[in-house]
């Protein structure tokens, strides 16, 4: 599944590149105002922080929410206390787009994450051109050379990489990379099975000073409390916020966990 998602995302990027060259996208990226400091926004604090996600669908669950106005949803998230906004820009399985990211960037004053299957520089320049402050890098999808070069490029553009891992070996690679924002995803992107306790088993491998993000398997305040007790600084929440009717109330409840 992961390899298919990466291949599809790269193919879609190549289609966009045929319409808008790398040079054009790079110029647009460099013309953007400086990216917001995501590490500061997500720095460990005396309470849990939440990255709230604009998510229409997923491969495992299918359609989740229509979200006709992603900017309005993101603004509600910010009002509700989110520290950053994640925007799915993958179109085939998640129903997202770079237009969603641009709309969200214009609507909020907190950092915005481009969540996609990033595997080539063009996609990184696209992210900055659309206003992203954070770019997701999935360790399982990238060899060491590609992971390193993309991580460097993200930093050179003033953004922050959220380096996502799924097991101890991937976490070792993230640490060797020098990643400062490290996620542990409870969802296995090959089988799509969930393991809420994975974060707790791996967290001790994350060095001091690195911001620790727990991803997936968050449907209730108790799940947020579980991750916080295990040592999470930040929790990324998507499905629960778009399926439970009142995203601000849900976010408020989660932040109080």
């Amino acid at each position: 599944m992961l390899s298919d998602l990466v291949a599809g995302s790269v193919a879609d990027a190549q289609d966009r590149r045929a319409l808008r060259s790398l040079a054009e996208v790079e110029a647009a990226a460099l013309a953007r105002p400086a990216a917001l400091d995501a590490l500061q926004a997500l720095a460990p604090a005396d309470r849990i922080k939440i990255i709230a996600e604009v998510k229409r669908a997923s491969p495992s669950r299918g359609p989740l929410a229509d979200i006709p106005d992603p900017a309005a949803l993101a603004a509600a998230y910010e009002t509700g206390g989110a520290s950053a906004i994640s925007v799915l820009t993958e179109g085939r399985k998640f129903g997202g787009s770079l237009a969603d990211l641009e709309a969200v960037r214009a609507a909020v004053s907190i950092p915005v994450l481009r969540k996609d299957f990033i595997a080539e520089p063009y996609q990184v320049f696209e992210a900055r051109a659309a206003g992203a402050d954070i770019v997701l890098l999935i360790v399982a999808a990238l060899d060491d050379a590609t992971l390193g070069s993309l991580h460097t490029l993200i930093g050179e553009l003033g953004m922050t990489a959220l380096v996502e891992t799924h097991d101890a070996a991937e976490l070792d690679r993230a640490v060797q990379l020098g990643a400062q924002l490290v996620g542990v995803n409870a969802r296995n992107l090959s089988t799509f099975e969930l393991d809420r306790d994975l974060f707790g088993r791996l967290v001790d491998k994350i060095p001091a000073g690195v911001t620790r993000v727990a991803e997936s398997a968050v449907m209730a305040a108790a799940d947020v409390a579980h991750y916080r007790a295990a040592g999470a600084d930040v929790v990324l929440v998507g499905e629960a916020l778009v399926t439970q009717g009142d995203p601000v109330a849900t976010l408020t409840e989660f932040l109080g966990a």
Side-chain angles (χ1 to χ4, degrees):
M1 178 63 79
L2 178 59
S3 61
D4 289 344
L5 288 166
V6 174
S9 189
V10 169
D12 290 343
Q14 290 172 343
D15 289 343
R16 293 191 298 272
R17 186 169 179 167
L19 301 174
R20 191 183 189 198
S21 71
L22 174 60
E24 291 175 298
V25 172
E26 185 173 351
L30 296 175
R32 269 279 183 180
L36 300 179
D37 188 340
L39 290 177
Q40 181 179 30
L42 298 173
D46 58 2
R47 65 171 182 85
I48 196 73
K49 294 184 177 180
I50 289 181
I51 302 174
E53 193 158 82
V54 176
K55 184 175 186 177
R56 291 191 174 91
S58 76
S60 60
R61 294 293 301 277
L64 298 172
D66 289 337
I67 314 181
D69 190 345
L73 178 60
Y77 286 159
E78 183 176 19
T79 299
S83 294
I85 308 295
S86 171
V87 182
L88 265 303
T89 60
E90 196 276 346
R92 299 186 184 204
K93 296 292 186 180
F94 291 89
S97 70
L98 283 164
D100 289 345
L101 179 61
E102 291 171 343
V104 168
R105 171 70 286 154
V108 301
S109 60
I110 55 179
V112 176
L113 161 68
R114 181 184 186 185
K115 195 174 185 191
D116 207 321
F117 299 89
I118 306 297
E120 59 176 39
Y122 185 85
Q123 296 168 293
V124 175
F125 284 113
E126 279 186 319
R128 184 80 280 270
D133 308 289
I134 314 168
V135 178
L136 181 70
L137 293 179
I138 301 174
V139 172
L142 304 167
D143 60 41
D144 285 341
T146 304
L147 178 64
S149 63
L150 293 176
H151 186 265
T152 297
L153 177 60
I154 289 166
E156 289 174 348
L157 291 174
M159 299 184 290
T160 300
L162 170 56
V163 181
E164 179 178 293
T165 66
H166 302 84
D167 60 32
E170 291 175 17
L171 189 48
D172 286 341
R173 292 174 63 197
V175 170
Q176 292 168 9
L177 186 68
Q180 292 300 297
L181 186 63
V182 172
V184 175
N185 194 338
R187 187 178 300 280
N188 184 311
L189 292 182
S190 296
T191 65
F192 276 78
E193 294 176 351
L194 286 170
D195 180 358
R196 194 184 67 161
D197 294 322
L198 178 65
F199 179 89
R201 293 198 301 273
L202 296 182
V203 67
D204 287 344
K205 296 178 71 67
I206 301 175
V210 174
T211 300
R212 301 162 295 187
V213 184
E215 305 175 50
S216 297
V218 181
M219 292 303 295
D223 298 318
V224 178
H226 176 82
Y227 280 136
R228 181 61 168 175
D233 302 308
V234 182
V235 175
L236 192 151
V237 186
E239 182 177 333
L241 294 177
V242 300
T243 59
Q244 295 188 11
D246 187 337
V248 174
T250 302
L251 185 55
T252 300
E253 181 186 0
F254 285 9
L255 283 167

